[in-house]
Amino acid sequence: MSAALDGIRVLDLTRVLAGPYCSMILGDLGADIIKVEAPGGSDETRTWGPPFKEGVSAYYLCANRNKKSLTLDLKSPEGKEVMEKLVKDSDVVINNFKTGTMERLGFGYDHLKEINPRIVFCSITGFGETGPYQHLPGYDFIIQAMSGLMSITGDDQSGPQKLGVAITDILTGLYACIGIQTALLERERSGTGQKIDLSLYDSAVSSLINIGSNFLMTGKIPERLGNHHANIVPYQTFRSLDGEMVIAVGNDRQFAQLCAIVGQPSLAADPLFSTNAGRVENREKLSRILQELFLKKDTAYWQSRCQEKQIPFGPIQSLEEVCKDEQLKAREMFLTCKHPKAGDVGMIGSPLKLSRTPVDYKQHPPEAGEHTEEILKRLGYDKTTIQEWKKDHKV
C-alpha cells in the first residue's frame, strides 16, 4: 500500500530540531527526505551529548529517522550543480539558515522557482524574514524568554521557568508541516508552489492562547501560577499520601462529583465554590481544603475513584513509568530501530494513526553522507565523477 505522501520529495537543509522534526514527520508519512549537510555532517545535534551510543547522539536520533543523507558543499560549483538538479526533481525545500543565507548561496526562493515553479520553499528562522529582528539568531531558549512563555511558567518562588523540552522548536516544526502540506494541496489547483516564512518567535506567541487572550482583553499582566490554571479551578496538582497527581475539573458537575468523592458534598453548594468563577476567585481557600483531604489516601485510590466518575485525573509519572505504560504500548508509541553504528536504539513513535496509510519506519537516522553515492547515481553521475568529488571533499 502506498504511503500518504508517497511520491513527494523533500530537500531538507535544516539542522538541530524545528526543521528536522518537520521533515521526520513528512518522512514518517512516506515522503522521500534527502537530508543535505556539509561534508562531514553539519547538523550540530550529532555532537550534542551525552548520551551517545557508539558515538551516535541520542539527540540526533530523536528527529532524523526516515531520511537519506547527502553531504554537499553548496559553495562549490559541483555542489551548486547537484543542488539545482535536485531542486528540479523535488517538491519541497526546507531550510533554517539565518535570513539572507540562502540568497547568498544562490538558492533563494526567487532563483529556485525559476528552476522549478512548483517548488514549495519553507524558511524557518528565529524571528522571520521581515521586521527589525530578522537577522538575529534565535534558539528555543531565547524564544521562550522573549515570547512570554517563561513569564507565565513557574511560580512566585521559582521565578520564570522554561519548559522541559524545546517546545518552540516543536511548535514551529508542526506549523512547518501544516504549511508545507497546505501549499502542496493548493499547488494541485494552481500548479505553482510558494514560499512559507516561519519563525520560532511567531510560533511561540501563537501558543499563548487563552493567557494571551486574557491579557488582550484586560491589559492585566498574568501571574505565574505554577501548576494551577488561570481560568479553571480545581485544575492543578495535589499531593496524595504517596505521591503527586493532577486533577482537572472542567465544569460544575464534575466539581460536585469530586466533592462527593472526598466526602465533602456540601462544598459544591457553598456559594464561594458552586461556580467556576467563584472557585477561581477563591482558589487558595479551596486548594487548601482539598489538599488536606487528598493527603488521607494514596494516588491509586484517588485515581480509581476519579476514573469511576469520569473526572480527568493523572498521576505525575517519571519517564521510566511512561515507558512502561500499557496504554502507550498499545498505541505503539515506542519502537526499536536498528542503526548500523549504534545497534538497536529506542525511539519514540509517531502519534499519527492513519487507517489506510499508516506511518512506516523504513530508514534509520542516517550517518552523514551515508546515501551520497546512491543519490548522485540517481541524478545520473557516473562512479568516476562521484569518487573524484569524494576525494576532493566536495560531496
Side-chain angles (χ1 to χ4, degrees):
M1 185 179 294
S2 295
L5 296 182
D6 191 36
I8 297 297
R9 177 167 294 162
V10 178
L11 298 183
D12 177 14
L13 280 69
T14 66
R15 66 256 186 245
V16 187
L17 188 54
Y21 189 69
C22 166
S23 60
M24 183 177 73
I25 296 171
L26 298 173
D28 286 352
L29 292 169
D32 177 18
I33 312 295
I34 299 177
K35 183 178 178 71
V36 181
E37 296 181 75
S42 52
D43 190 327
E44 294 94 323
T45 62
R46 292 184 182 276
T47 64
W48 285 5
F52 297 98
K53 187 175 182 183
E54 301 300 329
V56 180
S57 161
Y59 199 122
Y60 170 75
L61 291 174
C62 81
N64 284 287
R65 67 171 173 251
N66 282 336
K67 306 175 187 182
K68 294 185 176 181
S69 173
L70 166 71
T71 51
L72 210 57
D73 180 358
L74 294 177
K75 296 178 181 178
S76 71
E78 297 89 348
K80 291 180 182 295
E81 178 185 281
V82 172
M83 182 66 181
E84 291 191 353
K85 285 189 175 184
L86 285 168
V87 168
K88 195 170 185 178
D89 194 33
S90 296
D91 301 281
V92 180
V93 172
I94 315 173
N95 86 91
N96 66 346
F97 294 118
K98 285 194 290 187
T99 298
T101 300
M102 286 291 280
E103 285 74 15
R104 287 193 294 275
L105 289 170
F107 299 116
Y109 175 62
D110 288 342
H111 177 55
L112 296 191
K113 71 179 181 180
E114 291 178 1
I115 299 171
N116 180 357
R118 290 173 57 82
I119 201 75
V120 172
F121 183 100
C122 181
S123 167
I124 298 173
T125 57
F127 295 96
E129 295 196 358
T130 58
Y133 300 167
Q134 62 182 285
H135 294 295
L136 295 178
Y139 280 100
D140 169 86
F141 197 3
I142 305 301
I143 301 301
Q144 287 200 42
M146 294 181 64
S147 66
L149 281 176
M150 285 181 65
S151 78
I152 60 172
T153 304
D155 56 31
D156 289 339
Q157 285 70 45
S158 71
Q161 295 284 299
K162 75 177 184 68
L163 277 75
V165 295
I167 192 65
T168 70
D169 278 314
I170 297 301
L171 288 169
T172 308
L174 292 171
Y175 275 125
C177 274
I178 295 168
I180 287 167
Q181 292 181 86
T182 299
L184 290 171
L185 281 170
E186 192 280 333
R187 191 181 70 174
E188 293 302 303
R189 296 196 300 269
S190 67
T192 306
Q194 59 183 298
K195 180 177 179 178
I196 303 163
D197 173 8
L198 271 173
S199 87
L200 272 68
Y201 200 22
D202 295 348
S203 298
V205 171
S206 78
S207 74
L208 294 173
I209 51 168
N210 62 299
I211 303 298
S213 184
N214 291 350
F215 174 76
L216 293 173
M217 179 179 288
T218 67
K220 182 181 178 182
I221 296 175
E223 304 172 68
R224 286 188 297 276
L225 296 173
N227 291 323
H228 294 252
H229 196 289
N231 301 96
I232 313 171
V233 175
Y235 202 102
Q236 63 199 78
T237 56
F238 290 101
R239 285 176 288 115
S240 70
L241 186 62
D242 66 346
E244 291 186 276
M245 57 194 190
V246 170
I247 291 178
V249 168
N251 55 53
D252 296 339
R253 177 184 56 80
Q254 289 180 347
F255 180 65
Q257 290 175 326
L258 180 66
C259 292
I261 287 172
V262 299
Q264 295 292 329
S266 61
L267 282 176
D270 189 319
L272 293 178
F273 310 133
S274 59
T275 67
N276 182 68
R279 294 192 293 274
V280 171
E281 290 293 325
N282 298 282
R283 70 164 71 236
E284 291 186 11
K285 183 174 182 179
L286 178 59
S287 294
R288 283 196 301 270
I289 293 170
L290 292 175
Q291 181 58 85
E292 288 181 13
L293 295 167
F294 286 131
L295 284 170
K296 295 179 179 180
K297 302 284 186 179
D298 63 21
T299 301
Y301 173 84
W302 296 120
Q303 182 172 15
S304 174
R305 294 301 311 279
C306 285
Q307 288 178 349
E308 284 175 11
K309 298 297 183 180
Q310 297 290 299
I311 296 171
F313 178 102
I316 297 179
Q317 299 189 133
S318 68
L319 286 184
E320 182 178 19
E321 291 169 318
V322 170
C323 290
K324 293 177 180 178
D325 193 304
E326 292 301 322
Q327 174 66 19
L328 295 173
K329 289 181 182 178
R331 300 287 292 172
E332 299 180 333
M333 281 304 298
F334 299 102
L335 60 127
T336 300
C337 172
K338 290 190 177 296
H339 189 278
K341 187 175 178 182
D344 288 347
V345 292
M347 302 190 77
I348 295 174
S350 171
L352 294 166
K353 313 297 181 187
L354 283 72
S355 63
R356 286 194 305 103
T357 56
V359 301
D360 195 5
Y361 310 110
K362 297 181 291 187
Q363 171 67 49
H364 61 266
E367 291 290 279
E370 184 176 338
H371 304 94
T372 294
E373 190 165 337
E374 173 189 328
I375 293 166
L376 292 178
K377 281 182 179 178
R378 190 167 69 191
L379 291 174
Y381 291 97
D382 60 53
K383 190 170 184 179
T384 301
T385 301
I386 294 170
Q387 293 305 318
E388 286 177 357
W389 288 6
K390 281 187 172 182
K391 185 178 178 180
D392 294 337
H393 304 289
K394 292 176 180 174
V395 297

